[in-house]
Amino acid sequence: MRPKLQIACDHNDLAAALEDIKNVGDVVDIIEAGTILMLQEGRQVVECFRALYPEKIIVADTKCADAGTTVARNCATAGADYMTCICSATIPTMKAANAEIDEIQVELYGDWTYEQAQQWLDAGISQAIYHQSRDALLAGETWGEKDLTKVKKLVEMGFRVSVTGGLNTETLALFEGVDVYTFIAGRAITKAENPKQAAMDFQAEIKRIWG
Amino acid sequence: MRPKLQIACDHNDLAAALEDIKNVGDVVDIIEAGTILMLQEGRQVVECFRALYPEKIIVADTKCADAGTTVARNCATAGADYMTCICSATIPTMKAANAEIDEIQVELYGDWTYEQAQQWLDAGISQAIYHQSRDALLAGETWGEKDLTKVKKLVEMGFRVSVTGGLNTETLALFEGVDVYTFIAGRAITKAENPKQAAMDFQAEIKRIWG
């Protein structure tokens, strides 16, 4: 299946996010209420995204670490389809969250193991997000063979894997031959001279590579 | 030093949190804007707590996993003294956050190692929060010797350690002889018949044990 395109909104205020989403909301497949934005503006972020784009998949990037039931119920009530859990959350937290919303995505940060990943699958969670963290990117790290190997392994295990962190239309080709579920982009689209064109360029490159 | 008492506000809306805080804000030492509440209501939670209690320590329980600079700057701007990072955040994320706010507290969830803990100390972060996660408690786990051993070890390493998760005035005695920095309580206080009395009972028991 052709990878989806997700726009990440890590703005500091809702109005700025809506201004950017207006340009690209119809082009992307998934709209993400970023962690920064939710911590700043709360559930209304998800509510507004849902109201404006009833047909799109909406992700609440809560990076939930505890109280899975409540956080997931709140996100689902606000209109989110997916919600993220941090990989260091316990299995009971992930299961609790998974019971309250369509799908949970596990955000892979820091140290995690394939043994844990298998536990997530066993708990009924089959989406993972592979990151280059923004702070790691700022520290000079970049996408490489070690990242691709991990993504491929997760796909083989049965995960639908989203990838994110410093992606642009050039870096997409690195993933050729890998069944990526979703490419998540933020500034590469929102900070482009023409954001709508940038989102269409992403979609065109995805179509060129994955057909 | 006598342990402090922190009230955790994991409400779903700001008004309910303010209603509870009004009862106990003057009795506790630290007021926490809980993760659930911040995801629901955003930065205004911290802004309101700061406005109402200018002399208290305010914690933004963001469980930050990435974008440390932005999240910490936003919390500090809103009026928070402390901010939490999840233990699976990278060292660059924690350092970035630590540069923007008075203090970072590392939230210990899932798997972490003393080797990582030493890296946090080396990065200039000397507060940690030891949890019984709500979901673990719901699954029947409780405080025990293995928890106390970990808390003691962290204190010996040089951390100021806050403890939280299902605490009540009876469980405080379990920590006798341990230099706990802060006891964090939520429902044990807010759901008590008389919340102000419950907070005073916590403080009295802390004073009885730690002098």
Side-chain angles (χ1 to χ4, degrees), chain A residues 111, chain B residues 87 89-91 94 106 108 111-125 150 153-154 157 159:
Chain A
D111 295 320
Chain B
C87 57
T90 61
I91 297 293
M94 292 191 191
V106 180
L108 305 173
D111 295 320
W112 54 274
T113 65
Y114 294 112
E115 193 182 341
Q116 288 175 302
Q118 187 58 51
Q119 290 173 350
W120 305 329
L121 284 174
D122 295 344
I125 294 160
K150 288 179 189 170
K153 167 91 178 182
L154 288 164
M157 289 177 75
F159 284 98

Side-chain angles (χ1 to χ4, degrees), chain A residues 66-137:
Chain A
D66 197 8
T69 300
T70 304
V71 175
R73 191 178 293 157
N74 287 345
C75 289
T77 302
D81 302 291
Y82 301 165
M83 183 188 101
T84 64
C85 282
I86 193 78
C87 56
S88 56
T90 61
I91 297 292
T93 292
M94 291 191 191
K95 275 188 155 169
N98 202 29
E100 300 289 335
I101 195 164
D102 283 359
E103 294 206 38
I104 292 297
Q105 304 178 301
V106 180
E107 291 225 40
L108 306 173
Y109 270 110
D111 295 320
W112 54 273
T113 65
Y114 294 112
E115 194 182 342
Q116 288 175 301
Q118 187 58 52
Q119 290 174 348
W120 306 328
L121 284 175
D122 294 344
I125 294 160
S126 58
Q127 287 206 53
I129 302 175
Y130 187 89
H131 271 257
Q132 287 278 19
S133 95
R134 190 195 293 186
D135 294 316
L137 289 165

Side-chain angles (χ1 to χ4, degrees), chain A residues 15-28:
Chain A
L18 294 180
E19 190 182 356
D20 278 342
I21 288 294
K22 186 185 176 192
N23 292 320
V24 302
D26 290 323
V27 180
V28 301

Side-chain angles (χ1 to χ4, degrees), chain A residues 12 43 66 74 93 109 135, chain B residues 12 40 66 74 93 109 135:
Chain A
N12 282 309
R43 69 180 161 242
D66 197 8
N74 287 345
T93 292
Y109 270 110
D135 294 316
Chain B
N12 282 310
Q40 287 284 91
D66 197 10
N74 287 345
T93 291
Y109 270 112
D135 294 316

Side-chain angles (χ1 to χ4, degrees), chain A residues 30-46:
Chain A
I30 304 179
I31 303 172
E32 171 197 325
T35 316
I36 291 168
L37 185 54
M38 290 197 68
L39 288 171
Q40 286 283 91
E41 298 279 16
R43 69 180 161 242
Q44 61 176 330
V45 178
V46 174

